[in-house]
């Protein structure tokens, strides 16, 4: 029987009549008129192809088919009420699950190590899968539950039903090889323009902010390499006098290689907000709420 055409209110009719064994009393318990109850009972009889209840010395007696349906109906109602009033709460210490988080390679480099430490300490049976997803596919993934959360600067993720929470503000820095002849903590405009540059061409929208800033200030930038990869930058820069302008988290992560160092750009670097995003379908889901709280605790304002 297809749920689309079956009237679930008929389950209430079945259970009420089993409880009262009297049509008038059963109708009264549901706030229905006797004629309305009788009409619904007739429909239930047609759907089941059985009389369901027949008159006996103790009132309306259920048939064997009705008894089967009554057991199924009670179980259905009981399970639904249990879910409605007592939804299972995610237990991070005991549950085994895989969290699916959409993030860029920048976020993986800068945020994933700390996040993994925090989650593993509290939820040792859980694992993390990072996903590389284009912004136009991200909303559908969040709505379907294939993606639990998306983290980053994602201004295109503005579909109805997408919630967000700011984690922190971010900015940009410049990278040079560690023994670059230009010393000092900050580049002058003349020094910046005298250098050859490598830029990373990715779908990450934050890079557009620094490109627009450089263009708006009419600062020249001689670009000799365009690459889609942030991970290769330390090795490219270590063997050249090139300069790369990157998100500060990338710069900080790359300095750990010992191959490069960070310097301030010759302009006020733009700032941008990094958010975590989720769909409203999972706003009250205990598993999703726990993950969001862990991310905010790990990566939010310190």
């Amino acid at each position: 029987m297809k749920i689309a055409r079956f009237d679930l209110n008929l389950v209430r009719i079945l259970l009420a009549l089993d409880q009262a064994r009297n049509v008038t009393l059963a109708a009264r318990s549901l706030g229905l008129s006797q004629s309305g109850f009788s009409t619904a009972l007739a429909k239930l009889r047609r759907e089941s192809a059985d009389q369901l209840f027949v008159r006996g010395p103790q009132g309306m007696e259920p048939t064997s088919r009705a008894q089967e349906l009554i057991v199924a109906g009670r179980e259905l109602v009981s399970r639904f009420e249990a879910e409605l009033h007592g939804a299972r709460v995610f237990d991070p210490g005991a549950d085994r699950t895989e969290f699916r988080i959409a993030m860029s390679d920048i976020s993986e480099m800068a945020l994933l190590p700390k996040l993994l430490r925090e989650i593993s300490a509290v939820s040792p049976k859980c694992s993390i899968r990072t996903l590389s997803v284009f912004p136009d596919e991200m909303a559908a993934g969040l709505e379907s539950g294939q993606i639990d959360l998306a983290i980053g600067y994602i201004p295109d993720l503005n579909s109805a039903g997408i919630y967000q929470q700011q984690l922190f503000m971010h900015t940009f820095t410049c990278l040079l090889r560690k023994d670059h002849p230009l010393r000092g903590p900050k580049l002058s405009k003349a020094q910046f323009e005298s250098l050859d540059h490598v830029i990373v061409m990715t779908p990450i929208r934050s890079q557009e902010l620094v490109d627009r800033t450089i263009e708006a200030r009419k600062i020249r930038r001689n670009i000799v390499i365009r690459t889609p990869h942030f991970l290769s930058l330390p090795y490219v820069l270590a063997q050249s006098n090139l300069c790369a302008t990157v998100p500060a988290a990338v710069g900080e992560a790359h300095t750990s290689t010992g191959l490069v160092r960070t310097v301030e750009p010759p302009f006020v670097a733009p700032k941008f907000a990094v958010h975590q995003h989720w769909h409203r379908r999972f706003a009250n889901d205990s598993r999703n709420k726990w993950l969001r709280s862990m991310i905010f605790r790990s990566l939010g304002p310190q």
Side-chain angles (χ1 to χ4, degrees):
M1 189 177 295
K2 293 184 178 178
I3 198 74
R5 68 182 182 85
F6 179 68
D7 185 357
L8 289 173
N9 284 317
L10 297 182
V11 176
R12 299 170 62 233
I13 298 294
L14 179 76
L15 298 182
L17 188 51
D18 177 59
Q19 181 73 26
R21 301 297 174 94
N22 179 282
V23 171
T24 301
L25 295 178
R28 190 178 301 160
S29 71
L30 296 179
L32 297 175
S33 66
Q34 185 168 332
S35 61
F37 188 95
S38 297
T39 299
L41 178 59
K43 183 178 180 181
L44 184 58
R45 284 169 166 163
R46 289 195 302 272
E47 292 281 2
S48 64
D50 190 270
Q51 278 295 101
L52 298 179
F53 290 88
V54 295
R55 294 190 184 279
Q58 303 300 322
M60 301 296 287
E61 300 286 347
T63 65
S64 59
R65 178 60 176 147
Q67 289 174 336
E68 294 173 350
L69 294 176
I70 288 165
V71 171
R74 284 176 178 163
E75 181 180 352
L76 174 67
V77 171
S78 176
R79 289 184 61 184
F80 184 80
E81 287 181 343
E83 288 294 326
L84 181 64
H85 300 296
R88 185 181 179 280
V89 176
F90 175 68
D91 183 350
D95 290 353
R96 187 182 301 276
T97 190
E98 179 183 73
F99 295 116
R100 300 171 298 274
I101 305 174
M103 58 172 60
S104 66
D105 57 344
I106 296 177
S107 295
E108 283 193 15
M109 197 184 313
L111 309 179
L112 189 56
K114 183 176 182 182
L115 182 59
L116 179 61
R117 286 195 304 272
E118 295 281 348
I119 288 181
S120 298
V122 181
S123 187
K125 294 184 179 180
C126 295
S127 60
I128 298 174
R129 176 182 294 193
T130 61
L131 306 168
S132 179
V133 183
F134 287 106
D136 58 349
E137 302 170 348
M138 210 170 283
L142 289 168
E143 182 175 7
S144 69
Q146 293 180 342
I147 304 172
D148 292 311
L149 292 174
I151 298 177
Y153 172 73
I154 320 172
D156 293 328
L157 192 56
N158 53 13
S159 304
I162 301 295
Y163 296 167
Q164 65 179 21
Q165 180 184 36
Q166 182 175 312
L167 297 175
F168 57 88
M169 294 298 297
H170 206 44
T171 188
F172 295 87
T173 190
C174 290
L175 278 177
L176 303 173
R177 64 182 169 94
K178 194 168 186 180
D179 56 349
H180 197 284
L182 289 180
R183 310 307 296 175
K186 182 174 182 177
L187 293 173
S188 68
K189 180 173 179 289
Q191 288 172 330
F192 187 87
E193 292 182 330
S194 71
L195 293 168
D196 292 332
H197 293 261
V198 53
I199 64 171
V200 180
M201 307 290 291
T202 74
I204 306 302
R205 293 290 304 276
S206 60
Q207 206 63 26
E208 296 176 5
L209 299 174
V210 74
D211 292 342
R212 288 200 297 266
T213 298
I214 292 171
E215 183 179 351
R217 285 160 175 72
K218 296 182 168 48
I219 298 173
R220 295 190 309 274
R221 184 170 51 165
N222 184 40
I223 300 168
V224 298
I225 297 179
R226 289 178 170 85
T227 175
H229 306 298
F230 281 100
L231 288 175
S232 62
L233 285 179
Y235 308 99
V236 172
L237 296 173
Q239 301 179 57
S240 69
N241 284 330
L242 293 171
C243 175
T245 305
V246 297
V250 175
E252 182 180 348
H254 281 335
T255 57
S256 64
T257 65
L259 299 173
V260 294
R261 61 186 175 89
T262 59
V263 293
E264 290 185 49
F267 49 83
V268 177
K271 296 183 183 297
F272 59 95
V274 174
H275 292 87
Q276 59 175 335
H277 307 258
W278 65 96
H279 196 274
R280 66 183 176 190
R281 285 188 58 211
F282 302 96
N284 293 317
D285 176 75
S286 64
R287 175 179 169 278
N288 195 284
K289 287 173 70 174
W290 182 85
L291 178 59
R292 298 195 313 259
S293 68
M294 287 297 295
I295 289 175
F296 188 77
R297 191 175 81 180
S298 303
L299 309 177
Q302 300 301 311

